[in-house]
Amino acid sequence: FGSMAASPLLLVLHTVWPVVFGIELAHGAMLRRAWCDPSVLPTASNELHTWIWQSTVFIAALAVSAIAIGMLITIGVFPRTAERHRGYLYSRSLRHVLHRGAILFAVYVLSVVAVLGIQYWNWEAAAGHTTQAAWVRALCHHYIVTEEPVSTCSDYAVNSGQPWFKVGGCLNYMNTSWAATHAALPTGAPSWDYGKPFPAQEGGRSFFGFLAATIGASG
């Protein structure tokens, strides 16, 4: 059983980690800005809405192209005959590529949104008005203060080339007086020592808490 299960598990492992790495590199700045922006909730993030809309248009274009090629095959533009078999095979292969590409890219988009959704569900967001939101603002500010001198690649937005905390509402974290008032570590919260996550969440937000705590504690 071990040898039978090892191959699929390795396949999943070698498929998932590049996807996770790609999400972090390509969308890390957008996700951090949406979650840490103290002025706008993630559900109202213009950048996130624009990316979802553009991704939806791309998926629709792939799907429509696949349907169009399928219709051309059905009406006989690419007949399944010995004389024109290459055209039929090429068109059928292209239709499969477009169809599966649309499905895979849709799953990818949903995965990116799910990352932010899990964060938001378990931790609130910086624009909220609860103690959880205060923790998020403190965490975002601590991350910025720690990373600002030498930001990681994923801190830079792909479209603008600017760090996520130097655009829009996240600029507030660079204001010392604002940060002291609105992004201070809440009373009773643990220190920023690694390996000491925030307290467990209450009520319905405890589900996926272990995952959110891991993501949040790591910045």
Side-chain angles (χ1 to χ4, degrees):
F1 175 78
S3 60
M4 295 175 61
S7 182
L9 288 176
L10 287 174
L11 179 61
V12 170
L13 177 63
H14 288 291
T15 302
V16 170
W17 82 259
V19 173
V20 173
F21 182 78
I23 291 175
E24 167 69 11
L25 186 61
H27 310 296
M30 178 184 70
L31 295 175
R32 291 187 182 101
R33 185 181 299 117
W35 190 54
C36 289
D37 193 331
S39 60
V40 180
L41 288 173
T43 52
S45 170
N46 289 331
E47 183 181 15
L48 183 63
H49 287 177
T50 300
W51 178 76
I52 292 175
W53 169 250
Q54 292 174 345
S55 300
T56 302
V57 171
F58 181 70
I59 293 169
L62 292 177
V64 170
S65 299
I67 293 172
I69 293 176
M71 293 177 63
L72 293 176
I73 294 175
T74 302
I75 64 178
V77 175
F78 303 106
R80 188 176 181 180
T81 60
E83 295 79 11
R84 303 183 61 182
H85 67 282
R86 289 185 179 179
Y88 170 77
L89 293 176
Y90 289 152
S91 60
R92 187 184 66 173
S93 298
L94 180 58
R95 179 171 65 90
H96 289 324
V97 169
L98 294 171
H99 179 252
R100 292 167 185 172
I103 294 175
L104 290 175
F105 193 72
V107 172
Y108 175 79
V109 172
L110 291 175
S111 299
V112 174
V113 175
V115 170
L116 181 60
I118 292 174
Q119 279 285 81
Y120 183 38
W121 176 255
N122 286 274
W123 280 82
E124 289 279 352
H129 303 286
T130 63
T131 302
Q132 294 291 100
W135 288 352
V136 173
R137 288 192 296 272
L139 176 62
C140 293
H141 179 253
H142 177 73
Y143 179 86
I144 291 170
V145 171
T146 304
E147 294 291 331
E148 200 275 334
V150 283
S151 301
T152 61
C153 296
S154 60
D155 284 328
Y156 290 85
V158 175
N159 53 353
S160 66
Q162 294 293 321
W164 63 269
F165 46 82
K166 292 188 177 180
V167 180
C170 292
L171 277 170
N172 287 320
Y173 291 107
M174 308 300 291
N175 185 321
T176 305
S177 59
W178 181 94
T181 303
H182 302 283
L185 190 64
T187 303
S191 68
W192 293 115
D193 295 339
Y194 291 106
K196 297 181 179 180
F198 284 154
Q201 313 309 306
E202 70 283 351
R205 293 179 181 271
S206 61
F207 193 63
F208 288 128
F210 68 97
L211 180 58
T214 301
I215 298 174
S218 65

